[in-house]
Every structure is written in structure tokens, then in C-alpha cells.
Amino acid sequence: MKSAQKRAAIALVGVLSVAGTLTACGASEEPAAEPTGPVTIEVSIDAGLEQEAIDAFDERIAQFEEANPDIQVETKEFTWSGTTFAAELAGGTLPDVFPIPFTDGRALIERGQIADVSELVAELPYADQFNPTIAAAGQDAEGGMWAIPIAAYNQGLHYNRALFEEAGLDPDNPPATWDEVREAAKAIADKTGQAGYAHMTQSNTGGWILTTETYALGGRIVEGEGEETTATVDNDATVQALEMLQEMRWEDDSMGSSFLYDWSTINQDFAAGKIGMYISGGANYPNLFTQNQMNPDEYGVTVLPLEGDDAGTLGGGTLAAVSSAASAAEQAAAVKWIDFYYISKLTDQEAAVADAEVLAETDQPVGAPALPIFDRETYEEQQGWIKDLVNVPLENFAPMTEQMFDQPVIPEPAVATQDVYAALDPVVQAVLTDENADIDALLADAQTQVQTLLDRS
């Protein structure tokens, strides 16, 4: 029997993945079908949310159950972690609906570790309207959508406007080049005593952000497709990124004293005013506000500086998946929930307003910009529907929103993604903790490791 408190759910963004050694679980062989009687589904929620977020989600559950009287929604706390997800998947302890990263979609589909809900998804009115690049993350080789895109992001440079002002910098004109990032970081460190620029380094996030910096400087960590996939870790752009970090850390002393950040802990310190700038998904504001109590007036975000002929911003996102252990009726109910909670607010004016009203009434962020899963026109239309309810400082997002549609978005490495990132974590850690770290030697070792991972995959 399922049991869980009704708690709040916030879409999972930023760093997520599945380990390459997952134990295969067979997908349900029952054909998908509409619920024919009372059915209960369990949906995932993030742990540690404020009561206002819990209240907002409970209200959305009530609205869903009123519209679907034969479906009861219960919740289970689940926050994706690379160190626990494989065991949760293999042990069958996941809820019926749970988030997975774009990078994991294909692998889980190929192994049959999530339910094949493609026939149910195909019946949704917007099934063919997703951005094709985004849709591919949840599709099988034949184009059937097993997992539904619910959020997308491009990496952004998040910055603390209060620390900028204290350091004599203009928060309305954030750095536009990597040299300016370095200069701003030093000014913040010198004048405020806080870290001017911080970097994630563990739980695969060090490799994630280093890959982001490599892309922004025109390089790639992996190139090619299929059997022709080749590691290119030791490219000039990655060397340049690491040399910049080395200089900021050891010459400028502008990176503080914490060098074991992951996504959660760097968010905490940034929201607490201990970090001037850091890189993460551009749609990170809801987490910073809801789970880390960031002062909205202090928040700023801009696009990453792009330098180099093939420079671009790393993009990714989140898929909603359905457990392979779910029955046919539960699968159908799960897709109804995904449609109601995650997607309808992006495609239907009435649903968009209803969702925004609940969020506004419970003091949750409304209108925080994010890279759209559909096209720009649909996104701007949706933003127009809720403009009277927006409660975030849109002017603080302007450096991002005014430029994000013009930046090339480059997908994450498609093969052994998180294992590749894990192989790069020690490289970043070494550069930030060992003044004499040999970048060329570190990258040579990582190059060998990554190529071995690609060959195995």
C-alpha cells in the first residue's frame, strides 16, 4: 500500500543523471489504458520545502482530483542523486511519476527501465509541438516519447547584485567576457571578503561545469556519434578554462575557501550571500528562492560569455518518467497528472492562470524566465497570460532573457554523460586545491578514462 504525506513538488533542474551500471528492470508488459476505476498514483516531491510551497502543491492536487475523481494523488519525497538513484531504481522504491535528466532518457528507454507511455503521450494535443532537440531526450529510436520534457535550461552566470554593488560593480551590466568575469570576481573578493566566483567540484558537477566552460570557449569534451564517438577532453578550450580557474584561485585569490561544492551546497551559499558569481542552469531561481530563501532583490543572472568560433551554451533539462512497475491504469493516470501539473500551464491560458494564482497566493515564484520546451512564440504567449500575476523581479533577469534566444544551445555529451562528468571532477578539484597541479597531465589521464568509458558504452 502506498503512503506518503502530501508535500510540494518543484520541477527538478540543474545536475541530474543515472549511473552507467544500473541494474535493468523490465518494463510493464500491460498495454496502456485509460483508468476504468479508482486508481492511486504516487508522485515525487523535493524534500525540505517551505510550508508555502507545500500548500501550493496540495491545492494543485485538489484541483486535479476534482477534475479526475477516479484518481487519487499521493506524494513521496524524492530528490534525484547520482549516488542513490541506481539503487532506488533497481529496488523499485521510486514513485509512479519521477523526474530524470535529459541525459538519462535514452539509456533508461533502451534498458526498459521506465514505462513505455508513448501511445498515451501521442494522444496529447501538443505531442508534436515540442522543440525537436528537446523532444529527442525522451524519445526512443523510432520517435516514440516514453518520457515527457517538463523543463529545459541553458547554463547561465548567476550573480549577487548586492555583492556587485558593494564591490563597486554595476549589477545591471554584468560581465560579458571571461576577462570581465575574472576582474569582477577579484573586485568582489577584495572588497567584500566573499568568494567572487565559485565552482562546483563533486558528485559529477565539477565535470558538468567544466564542460559548460569548455563549450563557452568553443571546445567539446566528446565528438562524433555511435561507434565514432571520441573523447576530446584535452582540447585547447578545456586547457584555457582550467588555466583561468588556476589563475583566479592561486593568483587572484578570488574563489573563496570552499572547494567541495555540489549543486545543493553551492545554491545554499550563493543564496546566503557568500558567493558573487557561479554557473548553473539558467532556470535556477525557483530553487534559490523556495528552498534557499534567496532575497529576490539580490538575485541576478546573465548569459555566459561565448568566445571562439564554435562557442555555445550547454543545455539540458528534466523529463517526467513513469515507473515500469506501474499498472496500465496507473500509467494512464500518471500521464494525466504530468499533463495537468507540468504541461497544461504552458499550453492553455486557463490552466496557466490557475497555476499562477495558486503560486501567487502562497508566495511562490510566478513568471521566472526559463528556456522553453516549446517554441519562443508559445513561451512568450504563456508569459503574457500570467503577466498580471508575475511576482519575480523580471528586470533582474533581463541580461539573460534579452540574449538567451540568440545563443547556440549545445547538448550535453550523449554517451556515458555522468560517467564522463565524474571523470572530470578530480581534475577541477586538483586545480583548485593544488597550486602545482599539472593541467596537461590531469587532462591526459582524464582523456584516457573518458575514451575507455565511451568504448565500453
Side-chain angles (χ1 to χ4, degrees), residues 1-74:
M1 179 179 295
K2 298 173 183 174
S3 64
Q5 293 181 329
K6 286 185 177 179
R7 301 287 304 274
I10 301 296
L12 180 65
V13 291
V15 167
L16 297 172
S17 173
V18 106
T21 56
L22 295 177
T23 302
C25 301
S28 171
E29 295 181 358
E30 296 182 71
E34 288 291 310
T36 56
V39 60
T40 299
I41 58 170
E42 198 171 59
V43 302
S44 67
I45 64 160
D46 283 341
L49 298 175
E50 295 296 305
Q51 187 60 46
E52 290 82 1
I54 295 170
D55 294 341
F57 192 62
D58 283 347
E59 176 61 25
R60 294 297 280 157
I61 288 177
Q63 293 172 356
F64 177 78
E65 291 178 339
E66 182 178 1
N68 299 274
D70 288 337
I71 304 175
Q72 180 179 353
V73 177
E74 296 181 351

Side-chain angles (χ1 to χ4, degrees), residues 267-387:
N267 286 341
Q268 292 170 10
D269 275 5
F270 177 73
K274 298 178 180 180
I275 295 171
M277 297 176 286
Y278 78 117
I279 294 173
S280 189
N284 209 24
Y285 177 81
N287 174 279
L288 292 167
F289 176 83
T290 303
Q291 292 185 265
N292 294 285
Q293 296 77 55
M294 175 113 198
N295 181 343
D297 294 335
E298 295 182 358
Y299 178 76
V301 63
T302 186
V303 295
L304 296 182
L306 300 185
E307 301 174 9
D309 293 339
D310 296 317
T313 180
L314 181 148
T318 306
L319 304 165
V322 178
S323 170
S324 62
S327 68
E330 289 168 340
Q331 290 178 30
V335 172
K336 280 181 174 287
W337 168 255
I338 294 169
D339 174 42
F340 171 85
Y341 182 68
Y342 293 110
I343 306 297
S344 63
K345 61 188 175 184
L346 306 178
T347 60
D348 178 81
Q349 182 172 0
E350 183 177 350
V353 172
D355 179 76
E357 287 176 341
V358 169
L359 294 174
E361 289 168 2
T362 53
D363 196 29
Q364 300 304 292
V366 177
L371 191 70
I373 60 175
F374 298 109
D375 58 28
R376 181 173 183 174
E377 181 180 358
T378 302
Y379 169 79
E380 291 178 344
E381 182 179 42
Q382 187 269 345
Q383 290 293 92
W385 294 335
I386 63 172
K387 64 180 181 180

Side-chain angles (χ1 to χ4, degrees), residues 23 43 48 56 62 72 76 115 127 154 172 181 190 202 205 220 284-285 295 314 334 349 400 408 451:
T23 302
V43 302
Q72 180 179 353
K76 181 175 184 178
N154 54 336
D172 293 326
V181 169
D190 289 347
Q202 64 176 348
T205 61
R220 301 293 184 272
N284 209 24
Y285 177 81
N295 181 343
L314 181 148
Q349 182 172 0
M400 168 68 80
Q451 188 59 59

